Amino acid sequence: MAMIRNQKDFGAGLLYIAFGAVGFYIARDYGMGTASRMGPGYFPTVLSVLLMAFGLASAIRSFLTKEEAQVGKFAWKAAAFILGATVLFGLLLTRAGLVIALVVLCLVSAAGSQSFKLEWKATGLLVILVTFCALVFAEGLGVPMPLLGTWFGG
């Protein structure tokens, strides 16, 4: 049996394959349609297959690479901040609105990083990101997300 030289690539590959398989399984009952008239299952199926292909390529690469890479310790603090930020986003979206929920999501998830500092560049990029998301999702695509939630009379 060949030896895994890069545990990070192998683990990532298995994770991609698992997520792709779950997505493919969920989308199996949706109508596919054609490339010109896509059904509701077309995009998730294609995305799942691509994810599994990337996972397979990553897993194969883990056996062929020259350098050895070991998986380090699990970053519990960062994982907790990211999970907490996602939960807060879900709770705040209808109550505070998309703008506030995105700001909280970005700031709380960034707080999980050891190198995060709230500087003017980060603040500027946050404003650009929130503006872009508000314009694209709420205004452009018409996704039913309030810019200002019920707390602000939205």
Side-chain angles (χ1 to χ4, degrees):
M1 183 171 162
M3 192 162 139
I4 300 170
R5 294 184 180 156
N6 191 323
Q7 289 181 352
K8 289 181 181 180
D9 282 348
F10 187 74
L14 290 181
L15 196 63
Y16 293 162
I17 291 169
F19 278 123
V22 168
F24 191 82
Y25 178 78
I26 291 171
R28 78 186 189 292
D29 293 332
Y30 299 145
M32 277 291 287
T34 63
S36 61
R37 276 190 76 80
M38 297 177 196
Y42 192 90
F43 183 73
T45 301
V46 170
L47 189 63
S48 296
V49 169
L50 285 172
L51 192 58
M52 289 188 291
F54 283 126
L56 184 62
S58 181
I60 290 171
R61 188 173 73 176
S62 72
F63 293 100
L64 304 176
T65 187
K66 300 256 190 258
E67 78 269 356
E68 292 191 21
Q70 303 296 321
V71 176
K73 289 184 178 180
F74 188 75
W76 289 104
K77 177 186 165 194
F81 271 96
I82 291 172
L83 179 63
T86 306
V87 169
L88 282 172
F89 178 82
L91 293 172
L92 289 173
L93 186 59
T94 57
R95 293 170 181 90
L98 180 64
V99 173
I100 302 295
L102 278 173
V103 169
V104 169
L105 173 73
C106 291
L107 291 177
V108 172
S109 60
S113 171
Q114 296 173 348
S115 60
F116 174 70
K117 293 178 186 160
L118 189 59
E119 298 174 340
W120 68 271
K121 286 181 185 178
T123 305
L125 289 173
L126 177 62
V127 169
I128 291 170
L129 176 71
V130 170
T131 304
F132 176 78
C133 288
L135 290 173
V136 168
F137 293 109
E139 300 300 322
L141 295 175
V143 178
M145 293 184 287
L147 292 178
L148 294 175
T150 55
W151 290 348
F152 301 104

